[in-house]
Amino acid sequence: MFTVNKKVDKILTLYLPLTMLLSFTIFPIYWTLNTAFKPEGDIVKRPLQYIPVNPTTENFVAAWTNVGFATFFKNSLIVGVFTVIAVLICSTLSGYALSRYQFKGKRSFMLMLLCTQFIPRAMMIIPLFVIFKNLGLISNPLSLIITYTAIEIPFTTILMSGFISNVPKELEEAAMIDGCTKLQSLRHVVFPLLLPGIVATGVFTFIYTWNEFLIALMLTNQQSKFTLPVGLSTMMGEFSINYGALAAGSVIALIPAVILFAYAQKHLVNGMGGAVKG
Amino acid sequence: MIKKKMTTSVLALTMATGMLLAGCGGEEKAATKDTKKAATKSDEPVTLQFWDENAGPARTPVWEEVIKRFEEKNPNIDVEYVGIPNASAKSKYDAAIAAEDTPDIGSVQTTWLPEFSIREALLPLDSYFKKSDISKKINPSATGVNKKITQDGKLYGIPYAQNLDALWIRTDWFEQAGVKEPKTWDEFFTVIEKMRDEANNRYGFTIRGGAGASFTIQRAMFAYSGLDFFDKNGKTNINDPKHVEFVEKYFSYYDKLTPKSDITNGYKEMIAGFDTGVVAMVHHNPGSYGEHNKALPAGSYKLIPLPTTEKGQYVAEGGNAVNLAIFKSTEHADEAWKFVEFVNSEEAQSYWNQQTGQIPTNSDVLDDEWVQDAQHIKTAFEVYNNPDTKLYEPPFYLPDYRAILDGVVDPGVQAVMSGKMSAKDFLDEWAKAIEDSKAKYDQTFKK
């Protein structure tokens, strides 16, 4: 009797809410997948098809070749990878400084870093446009890499300083007693222990650049330089939406993020745990 | 030693970045110089950048074909197409104008012309237009509105397509129910009631309560009253008792005889309701023809004009058009005009409007066979060509006209629909916003 009650309790308090949550989260993704594999006529047909009756891959072909997703994908990848590299270098070094050194104005500096996160992105558009126009960087991926790096650094610096604080100072000191220089102790002792934090920061940065729309739209005046979110939005006209190709494009856009999370999941959990503890 | 190495690395990195930036900038500057050079010799290749304010799967390929045809006829001119999603197009133009980095040619809505011309972003096209053959073909009322709404009375945009608010109806349902198409507003309200079919989860009408609701309610109100936007004393008619009466009745159908989700209905939701067999009538324009054509069997739907006023008059909004404008920053104004002229030629307008379901402005297109066969275009023409049709002209020239629609009217519609505000208070608030804006405008420009 007791075991039955325990089982019911577990179902009611654990499995049921988790199943509800999961179905709530997964349904839109499932519907996108479902739509991506339906021919145009079946998408708006009634009764609704919960499983494609005439499955087709033509939407993927249309999105990839006709709409130019291959180019948008490549552009997003370039911007994402270089932004992650730049953000990781800057935020690891500045995070180390914030974590290990005491200096005048450290608290105010951190407060200022936090404050930059409250500036609405839309407010920055015109100044950014003017700056990059003067630099001749409109429609150049470098403008996006620089902007995203600048936007992400304050938050990731604070994040990294949390991870670094979690690595005992004594380990560095021990390495230095063993003959390591400061930089060698950083490279051989601190960085390997920081890996989960670095992965977590990198993943967050990549996802931000992968999804960002407004700045990418404003700083790009050439179709061939559009990133994925901008490319996706051009598939929704005022009076027409290519639902099939849009869904297929969204699935394509999802793939790198899913792969990234699948590989980084372990590090991500460890990393976030570290940040919270730190 | 390490310190030295690090300093060297940092310096190298800084220099590399600097060189990269300078390199890219240099390339761009060199390119600009080259195009400037090209402008001096007419036979040398010229590249024009063209921004489309409503890119999408339906229009982008059509523009690409028009551009291809233009380039075949003008081998020394390349047109670079940049498609901008409709929802972000105005912000993109705003940023480009502020940063003085505009394209050569842009597709712009009529409502943007006054603001862009005040900001001195556009090139007046009067002299080009006067000399061109298209001046005899393009609908004079559409170009007339464009001149009338700008502060200096100049022509800044050539309308290549116009639009008209109308009703799409499910003719098959009307036949089954033995209901006649509504011709007057009273009949329209009766049809909403008659076409409600609870057993089949069908509604007679769907109200636009989400994005773009302001345009729909404004056009419906004036189509009902037949009033001008301002009275003889310059006071707006927005909160006229006739409009209060209409808005009260119109929104009273919400959630009783129209779907509950109407309060957030934008274009997509409204058209999806019609195309998936949930509603019998939808207030839109011929532009959604492509969507209905894909989703519904031929002959099961058609376009009818908005109901007439008590006096039997059709009312349409002046300036419901989309234009090609040349930006002042262009270094190739003559070549840009060639493109504008081509897009407004019979050949290009006929192709563009047939593919997109919009109404051509070039009178030569009216005789084309496809126009005779396209019920929705013919209906729109009948309204525009009806001598009794009245055009009311909203004050597009007010710099914050669009901001009032987005910031006061759209939320106001939702407040009335949800019962948080009365129709009278809503229209009073709207009228006050318009009058305050007009007073500011008159004061600034001493009109």
Side-chain angles (χ1 to χ4, degrees):
Chain A
M1 190 63 188
F2 178 71
T3 340
V4 173
N5 273 344
K6 220 176 165 186
K7 263 189 180 171
V8 172
D9 268 3
K10 209 168 182 184
I11 288 170
L12 284 179
T13 57
L14 179 70
Y15 294 115
L16 192 69
L18 284 184
T19 314
M20 278 166 64
L21 184 73
L22 198 65
S23 37
F24 192 72
T25 320
I26 280 197
F27 190 76
I29 300 169
Y30 162 70
W31 201 251
T32 310
L33 259 172
N34 182 23
T35 309
F37 285 102
K38 276 183 194 168
E40 191 70 25
D42 286 359
I43 293 171
V44 287
K45 213 176 192 177
R46 292 277 171 133
L48 289 173
Q49 294 174 6
Y50 287 90
I51 291 165
V53 178
N54 310 300
T56 173
T57 51
E58 67 188 26
N59 291 325
F60 287 91
V61 178
W64 193 258
T65 51
N66 304 352
V67 185
F69 254 63
T71 315
F72 305 150
F73 195 89
K74 190 187 83 192
N75 294 339
S76 277
L77 213 59
I78 290 171
V79 172
V81 168
F82 282 102
T83 307
V84 168
I85 294 171
V87 164
L88 285 180
I89 293 173
C90 297
S91 60
T92 312
L93 295 177
S94 47
Y96 185 83
L98 279 178
S99 164
R100 291 290 193 251
Y101 298 108
Q102 289 302 324
F103 52 90
K104 220 177 173 184
K106 184 175 161 181
R107 277 181 165 274
S108 327
F109 179 73
M110 286 184 82
L111 192 71
M112 271 166 68
L113 284 185
L114 269 178
C115 286
T116 58
Q117 300 299 293
F118 303 132
I119 301 171
R121 302 282 185 264
M123 243 180 75
M124 306 194 298
I125 297 296
I126 292 175
L128 279 174
F129 201 111
V130 175
I131 292 168
F132 287 117
K133 191 204 155 202
N134 290 337
L135 287 170
L137 289 179
I138 294 293
S139 299
N140 187 320
L142 205 57
S143 63
L144 295 182
I145 295 169
I146 295 170
T147 310
Y148 295 157
T149 306
I151 289 173
E152 282 291 283
I153 280 177
F155 175 68
T156 51
T157 296
I158 294 170
L159 203 66
M160 286 306 287
S161 86
F163 293 133
I164 293 165
S165 299
N166 215 31
V167 177
K169 227 179 184 176
E170 292 75 19
L171 290 177
E172 271 179 81
E173 286 166 1
M176 284 166 83
I177 289 168
D178 288 345
C180 279
T181 61
K182 185 93 179 162
L183 273 182
Q184 280 170 332
S185 74
L186 262 177
R187 204 178 123 196
H188 298 295
V189 179
V190 181
F191 287 160
L193 289 169
L194 262 187
L195 197 64
I198 291 175
V199 171
T201 310
V203 168
F204 277 117
T205 306
F206 188 80
I207 301 294
Y208 169 73
T209 62
W210 195 254
N211 291 334
E212 204 286 327
F213 167 74
L214 187 67
I215 296 169
L217 171 76
M218 293 300 173
L219 297 183
T220 316
N221 285 350
Q222 277 173 25
Q223 199 97 348
S224 60
K225 297 287 161 54
F226 281 173
T227 56
L228 265 174
V230 182
L232 270 175
S233 73
T234 59
M235 292 166 76
M236 291 181 279
E238 189 187 0
F239 302 138
S240 61
I241 299 163
N242 190 344
Y243 287 107
L246 187 66
S250 307
V251 172
I252 294 170
L254 263 177
I255 292 170
V258 170
I259 293 174
L260 210 61
F261 268 105
Y263 274 100
Q265 197 190 19
K266 198 181 93 194
H267 291 307
L268 213 58
V269 174
N270 289 342
M272 289 324 288
V276 172
K277 271 189 268 169
Chain B
M1 185 68 187
I2 284 173
K3 243 187 194 174
K4 212 176 173 184
K5 265 189 182 172
M6 269 190 75
T7 319
T8 322
S9 314
V10 170
L11 273 175
L13 195 72
T14 319
M15 276 176 71
T17 317
M19 279 165 75
L20 195 63
L21 289 175
C24 297
E27 250 172 54
E28 186 108 338
K29 272 177 197 158
T32 321
K33 264 186 193 168
D34 285 348
T35 41
K36 265 185 189 169
K37 240 183 184 177
T40 56
K41 291 179 186 173
S42 62
D43 54 336
E44 278 183 29
V46 165
T47 301
L48 300 172
Q49 197 178 62
F50 164 60
W51 284 10
D52 171 17
E53 53 45 272
N54 195 359
R59 293 195 179 182
T60 301
V62 182
W63 272 121
E64 282 166 351
E65 175 60 27
V66 169
I67 289 168
K68 200 181 112 196
R69 291 182 190 184
F70 172 74
E71 286 174 342
E72 276 166 10
K73 288 191 174 161
N74 298 274
N76 66 322
I77 308 174
D78 276 332
V79 178
E80 186 195 340
Y81 172 88
V82 180
I84 309 169
N86 186 251
S88 324
K90 178 67 171 35
S91 334
K92 174 102 179 155
Y93 274 121
D94 282 340
I97 293 170
E100 295 172 358
D101 194 28
T102 46
D104 298 282
I105 311 156
S107 173
V108 295
Q109 292 172 17
T110 302
T111 48
W112 302 347
L113 288 174
E115 186 197 327
F116 288 1
S117 63
I118 286 174
R119 290 167 75 183
E120 296 185 354
L122 303 177
L123 199 71
L125 301 175
D126 303 75
S127 58
Y128 280 116
F129 188 64
K130 226 179 191 177
K131 282 182 231 155
S132 170
D133 286 346
I134 60 165
S135 62
K136 292 166 205 128
K137 310 287 179 190
I138 304 294
N139 182 351
S141 75
T143 49
V145 167
N146 285 3
K147 280 192 202 173
K148 206 170 170 184
I149 58 175
T150 52
Q151 218 267 321
D152 54 8
K154 288 182 180 164
L155 182 65
Y156 288 99
I158 311 295
Y160 61 89
Q162 49 191 350
N163 223 332
L164 176 81
D165 272 35
L167 293 173
W168 285 100
I169 64 163
R170 284 293 301 262
T171 44
D172 50 349
W173 295 4
F174 274 68
E175 271 168 35
Q176 282 162 23
V179 175
K180 277 187 181 171
E181 295 165 12
K183 291 212 164 47
T184 65
W185 285 99
D186 281 343
E187 285 171 12
F188 166 79
F189 288 121
T190 315
V191 168
I192 295 181
E193 288 166 27
K194 282 189 182 165
M195 295 306 287
R196 171 73 172 129
D197 179 353
E198 276 186 68
N200 287 312
N201 191 33
R202 285 177 184 173
Y203 294 90
F205 185 61
T206 179
I207 295 171
R208 189 169 188 161
S214 50
F215 292 105
T216 308
I217 191 67
Q218 178 169 290
R219 290 165 188 167
M221 266 163 46
F222 282 95
Y224 174 80
S225 68
L227 292 166
D228 288 320
F229 203 92
F230 292 104
D231 66 15
K232 282 174 194 163
N233 306 316
K235 194 181 162 292
T236 178
N237 280 323
I238 286 283
N239 55 349
D240 185 272
K242 273 216 155 258
H243 288 157
V244 178
E245 171 191 297
F246 175 79
V247 171
E248 267 170 5
K249 182 145 194 187
Y250 185 81
F251 288 127
S252 72
Y253 285 82
Y254 168 61
D255 200 18
K256 294 181 192 92
L257 290 157
T258 78
K260 196 180 180 66
S261 58
D262 280 1
I263 196 157
T264 52
N265 256 1
Y267 164 78
K268 288 193 289 288
E269 295 78 11
M270 224 170 49
I271 298 304
F274 185 73
D275 288 345
T276 54
V278 179
V279 294
M281 287 192 295
V282 64
H283 174 168
H284 195 242
N285 57 50
S288 51
Y289 168 75
E291 296 293 297
H292 311 315
N293 188 34
K294 263 191 286 178
L296 299 170
S300 65
Y301 63 95
K302 75 187 247 195
L303 186 92
I304 61 167
L306 281 183
T308 55
T309 61
E310 275 173 0
K311 291 178 191 162
Q313 202 175 27
Y314 290 125
V315 179
E317 186 175 285
N320 192 354
V322 62
N323 314 269
L324 277 193
I326 300 179
F327 283 84
K328 233 178 196 168
S329 61
T330 185
E331 286 164 0
H332 310 289
D334 292 346
E335 287 84 356
W337 173 255
K338 271 189 183 173
F339 182 68
V340 174
E341 212 173 23
F342 177 78
V343 171
N344 283 292
S345 65
E346 187 203 351
E347 177 200 346
Q349 265 213 24
S350 178
Y351 174 74
W352 197 92
N353 285 290
Q354 184 182 10
Q355 300 301 315
T356 58
Q358 303 289 95
I359 311 158
T361 57
N362 186 317
S363 56
D364 283 349
V365 185
L366 310 191
D367 303 326
D368 285 8
E369 207 181 319
W370 71 267
V371 174
Q372 303 309 315
D373 296 339
Q375 183 273 330
H376 55 294
I377 302 288
K378 260 177 88 178
T379 303
F381 269 138
E382 277 160 24
V383 173
Y384 272 125
N385 289 342
N386 188 317
D388 287 336
T389 295
K390 177 184 173 156
L391 290 184
Y392 79 95
E393 281 159 16
F396 298 132
Y397 54 85
L398 297 178
D400 43 4
Y401 171 73
R402 184 65 190 254
I404 293 170
L405 289 185
D406 294 345
V408 177
V409 187
D410 274 352
V413 164
Q414 289 185 331
V416 178
M417 286 174 85
S418 59
K420 288 180 186 151
M421 196 189 252
S422 72
K424 171 121 188 30
D425 289 348
F426 160 59
L427 293 174
D428 284 346
E429 197 181 309
W430 182 359
K432 188 180 178 307
I434 290 284
E435 270 165 15
D436 288 351
S437 172
K438 189 168 181 290
K440 251 192 287 170
Y441 178 85
D442 289 346
Q443 204 180 358
T444 311
F445 296 104
K446 291 177 188 162
K447 252 198 155 183

